[in-house]
Amino acid sequence: MTIFRPAAFLPVIAALGLVVAPLVASAEGHHGSDGHRPPPGGAPYGGPGSMMMPPIPPGITLTTAQKAKLKTIFEKAHQDERALRLEGRAIEGKIHDALSVAGDLDRAALADLGKQEDEVKAKVSALHLDTMEQLHDLLTPAQRQQAKETMDKIKALHEQMKALMGPPPEGDPDDMP
């Protein structure tokens, strides 16, 4: 059996077309009146979700007021997350310094720094959840329903792709035909 089956990839390509088409179609609607484009991923200014699926699924048309509120939400989230990341880096630096001592380790101080680091990570997670809650509240009930339906379709397409492609072949790649 060969690894590459062209006939199996035709439905995958079609499914990808179905996922990408709404993104391309809605891209024009996401441009501001100033012609500014948000970065790839749909989240303006690198907010949560900017590297993954957009927080607002494709095909959802936002009002001007919703777009302004979305921008405000992401700007605040970005500033808050940046401050938390800087705090986390400072703690990591203290941990590194504590581990670099020539003598015995101060295990109590390291345990305290570890707790501080965990607290910062928890704050980042809470910030992400709070941002997603604000996005939820931004949408109307009809937009939420449309978003759910779109995300359910995208999830179903991903499951179909995984089923078509199957598990990765076992064994050494050099042994493959």
Side-chain angles (χ1 to χ4, degrees):
M1 177 174 167
T2 63
I3 295 174
F4 182 71
R5 295 176 288 172
F9 285 100
L10 292 176
V12 172
I13 293 169
L16 286 173
L18 291 174
V19 171
V20 172
L23 291 172
V24 172
S26 69
E28 190 172 307
H30 291 293
H31 295 232
S33 59
D34 62 353
H36 173 74
R37 283 183 166 202
Y45 309 106
S50 64
M51 300 303 287
M52 296 187 281
M53 289 296 292
I56 306 294
I60 305 296
T61 304
L62 300 176
T63 65
T64 304
Q66 285 176 315
K67 289 178 185 178
K69 180 69 176 167
L70 181 71
K71 181 180 177 183
T72 303
I73 290 169
F74 281 134
E75 285 176 345
K76 178 160 180 6
H78 180 71
Q79 290 172 354
D80 293 348
E81 186 170 356
R82 179 170 163 68
L84 289 170
R85 298 278 180 214
L86 290 174
E87 184 180 341
R89 285 190 197 119
I91 293 169
E92 288 174 359
K94 291 177 184 178
I95 291 172
H96 183 280
D97 291 345
L99 290 171
S100 300
V101 297
D104 292 338
L105 292 177
D106 184 354
R107 296 186 191 285
L110 283 170
D112 183 51
L113 289 169
K115 288 179 187 175
Q116 290 177 29
E117 186 177 38
D118 290 343
E119 289 171 5
V120 170
K121 288 178 183 178
K123 288 178 186 178
V124 169
S125 293
L127 175 64
H128 289 176
L129 181 59
D130 180 58
T131 302
M132 295 310 290
E133 288 174 2
Q134 290 179 48
L135 294 177
H136 174 272
D137 295 343
L138 176 71
L139 300 177
T140 65
Q143 288 172 322
R144 286 184 209 136
Q145 181 62 35
Q146 185 181 5
K148 181 184 179 335
E149 290 170 3
T150 300
M151 294 308 293
D152 288 345
K153 289 177 185 176
I154 290 173
K155 183 178 178 182
L157 286 172
H158 281 266
E159 292 299 320
Q160 289 176 6
M161 289 169 45
K162 283 174 30 180
L164 284 171
M165 297 180 77
E170 294 184 23
D172 189 17
D174 294 332
D175 295 340
M176 299 294 159

